[in-house]
Amino acid sequence: MSRDELFIAYMEAFEASTTHVGACTACQDDQPCRAGAPVHAEFIARQDAWNERVRTGRKRP
Ligand SMILES: [Zn+2]
């Protein structure tokens, strides 16, 4: 996956997660519902992948 694709996937996962939280009182209370849990897990996984790419990218500028 290219750096751009990784970032786009991260942003899409972020948007899906925040959109869900905006409409779900359970997730707003830090009690992820069945529908929200995988959405938030995907966002965290994408965020980790992106942060890892940024971190390793900085090693050799
Ligand atoms: Zn929810």
Side-chain angles (χ1 to χ4, degrees):
M1 197 180 259
S2 78
R3 190 183 168 93
D4 281 355
E5 286 169 340
L6 206 64
F7 185 71
I8 289 164
Y10 168 33
M11 284 296 106
E12 285 177 351
F14 169 75
E15 184 149 345
S17 178
T18 53
T19 298
H20 177 91
V21 170
C24 180
T25 52
C27 288
Q28 284 167 22
D29 287 342
D30 273 334
Q31 305 282 327
C33 65
R34 287 172 70 92
V39 176
H40 305 319
E42 169 78 2
F43 165 54
I44 290 164
R46 294 295 182 186
Q47 187 177 50
D48 284 351
W50 172 250
N51 287 338
E52 179 68 12
R53 176 66 69 94
V54 169
R55 193 180 64 76
T56 56
R58 276 183 190 152
K59 223 181 271 175
R60 293 175 183 274

